[in-house]
Amino acid sequence: MNYSIAMTESVNKKLFDHLIREDGQEDLCFAFYKPSTGSKRKTGIIVEVLLPEQGDRNVHGNVSFNSDYFDKVTSYALAQNLGICFIHSHPFPGWQGMSFDDVKAEKMLAPRVRAVTGLPLIGMTLGTDNYWSARFWIKEAPSTYERYWCESVRIVGKLLKPYFYDKIIRKTNYAEEFSRTISSWGESKQQEISRLKIGIVGLGSVGALITEALMRTGIRNMTFIDFDLVELKNLDRLLAINRSDIGKYKVDYQKERLLKTELLRDLVINAVPYSISERKGLNAALDCDILFSCVDMPLPRYILDCLSFANLIPIIDGGIDTNPKKDLSNIDQARWKAHTIGPERICMQCLNQYKPEDAALELSGDLENPNYIKGLPEDHFINRGENVFAFSMSLASMEMQQFLSLVLKPRGIYYGPKEMDFVTGTIDSDFENECEKDCKISNSLTGMGDQLNESLVMRHVGAEKSREKHKQIWNKDKNKRSVFEFLKASINSFLHL
Ligand SMILES: [Zn+2]
Ligand SMILES: [Zn+2]
């Protein structure tokens, strides 16, 4: 298991303002967290801070706290069902290790915290330049607690700012391949961007282009989530797809393709042929620092919306809406839109990216019924026009722009949704970038972590069928297509020529 920490910009500010003192002395405080568990990583989401009051701690070079303060912390954690973080500062910049006294103090706290909360103690140290280090104290045997360093601490809001532990997520020794990219934003930003773990949900036309763009930007760790197989109808829209790829998982195809480039020697791609609503799909998403939502149905959008706020994972989302003229003599209108959603930004629901009632309709299974679909009005989302490759390129590019703006925030400027109008050729940007006051997503789900995640998991019959089909097509032992299926695919493609 890997470990990490996430917090919002406002929680980070509260901690920084308290811990980094003008007089240069160290300080301390306690905070509370909720766990968020992916398939390979556990994240502590810092949800609240309880600053010490007068008399709660002694600041004298080497800061210490009094038992009254600790009692207040434990009773609150117990009442609210929260984990406990013990946080202190050092008067130096950069990633901070632990002194002999630091280890002693946290080792002493770990069993007491676990006894009260049932959760491991998290210890954190802050450097003067806001650089964070963090560790989980895990009970391995009776009265034996092991320290596990966190691979990263992520601050999430208008900017996504990661602090990495270099020994776990190593820096890259860049050679000529990336000299031009680095000349745009410098090596330290490149080291930061390239170490983010990025997930792409939906490997259709837009998703496929984004995997390519992320690799060429130097992203070393990607997770692809999609249960779909490559079909004949994808040939006019999937980047670099060939007829011989029909029947493969879209995630496998993109993975093979990117690995072949050998641009990044340490590229890791996790191909997950599951839906975001299935446990394996959801847990793989929770291992990521950022997600791209390249899905076009309301239910996965709803799940991603909730997941983003509950687990402090920013999501770049987008969509294309096209309409042909009624007599099909031309295209009538096409618009595509990209935006970054997540804590301290806006949610997809407030942006009208899906309607909760449509997500409920999808969940009911009625959309699987052709008779039901026949009865739906023409403007129903299910009857939307299909997009084309050229529009997908433009949207993928707008989504990459949202991503780079989120991680670079040049000149301190951030922005909200952008929408391209194909007919007039203009980009609109006059959109709301904050949730409505009574928004259920941002108000009640932020930081909930595993408390919410469990309720997002459900069965997905379509995904199960797709995996079954994949098993039939591919002879498992030799990883070769069965002769029958190969012939069937060839004949089909011939007939459609
Ligand atoms: Zn210390
Ligand atoms: Zn909202």
Side-chain angles (χ1 to χ4, degrees), residues 346-347 349-350 435-436 439 441-442:
I346 192 167
C347 78
Q349 209 172 103
C350 289
C435 278
E436 284 163 24
C439 168
I441 306 269
S442 59

Side-chain angles (χ1 to χ4, degrees), residues 26 62 88-90 97-99 102 125:
E26 296 185 5
N62 225 342
H88 76 287
S89 54
H90 282 175
M98 296 176 81
S99 68
D102 289 343
T125 312

Side-chain angles (χ1 to χ4, degrees), residues 53-124:
E53 288 167 3
Q54 201 85 44
D56 277 344
R57 92 302 198 188
N58 312 305
V59 182
H60 43 69
N62 225 342
V63 64
S64 65
F65 63 87
N66 301 328
S67 60
D68 282 358
Y69 182 29
F70 187 62
D71 290 346
K72 265 193 282 184
V73 169
T74 48
S75 38
Y76 188 77
L78 192 62
Q80 303 290 322
N81 201 13
L82 296 165
I84 293 175
C85 306
F86 175 57
I87 309 177
H88 76 287
S89 54
H90 282 175
F92 320 103
W95 188 92
Q96 300 296 316
M98 296 176 81
S99 68
F100 179 76
D101 285 340
D102 289 343
V103 175
K104 211 170 110 186
E106 291 187 11
K107 263 201 168 153
M108 183 268 292
L109 277 176
R112 292 166 68 185
V113 162
R114 188 162 187 289
V116 176
T117 62
L119 292 166
L121 168 74
I122 290 177
M124 295 180 73

Side-chain angles (χ1 to χ4, degrees), residues 239-371:
L239 178 66
I241 203 95
N242 304 309
R243 242 169 235 279
S244 56
D245 299 313
I246 291 172
K248 287 182 184 171
Y249 281 127
K250 289 178 179 172
V251 290
D252 282 346
Y253 170 70
Q254 294 301 342
K255 177 179 172 170
E256 282 166 27
R257 195 177 66 74
L258 295 191
L259 289 176
K260 251 186 246 166
T261 62
E262 293 182 338
L263 171 62
L264 299 153
R265 264 152 286 166
D266 45 3
L267 177 63
V268 174
I269 298 176
N270 183 21
V272 185
Y274 285 82
S275 158
I276 189 70
S277 62
E278 294 178 292
R279 187 175 299 281
K280 283 190 181 163
L282 186 84
N283 285 356
L286 297 178
D287 289 338
C288 300
D289 305 328
I290 300 186
L291 292 169
F292 280 83
S293 150
C294 306
V295 295
D296 55 2
M297 292 293 274
L299 185 59
R301 275 225 169 92
Y302 170 72
I303 291 171
L304 285 165
D305 208 13
C306 297
L307 177 160
S308 170
F309 282 79
N311 300 283
L312 270 52
I313 300 174
I315 295 185
I316 319 287
D317 176 63
I320 302 181
D321 200 6
T322 65
N323 284 305
K325 283 181 78 171
K326 272 207 168 136
D327 61 0
L328 263 182
S329 59
N330 200 347
I331 191 164
D332 184 48
Q333 173 60 301
R335 295 178 74 85
W336 47 94
K337 186 173 176 183
H339 37 256
T340 306
I341 64 119
E344 305 199 344
R345 283 181 173 253
I346 192 167
C347 78
M348 284 191 231
Q349 209 172 103
C350 289
L351 267 176
N352 282 322
Q353 277 304 101
Y354 66 90
K355 291 191 194 120
E357 56 268 32
D358 288 340
L361 172 66
E362 203 185 333
L363 191 59
S364 73
D366 283 344
L367 295 178
E368 313 281 322
N369 177 353
N371 287 330

Side-chain angles (χ1 to χ4, degrees), residues 282 450-458:
L282 186 84
D450 290 342
Q451 272 179 327
L452 178 86
N453 297 336
E454 198 53 38
S455 67
L456 299 177
V457 173
M458 58 195 89

Side-chain angles (χ1 to χ4, degrees), residues 380-399:
H380 193 267
F381 73 86
I382 204 81
N383 296 324
R384 265 181 322 217
E386 291 281 359
N387 56 319
V388 296
F389 190 73
F391 298 163
S392 298
M393 282 170 71
S394 178
L395 177 59
S397 155
M398 278 171 81
E399 290 193 24

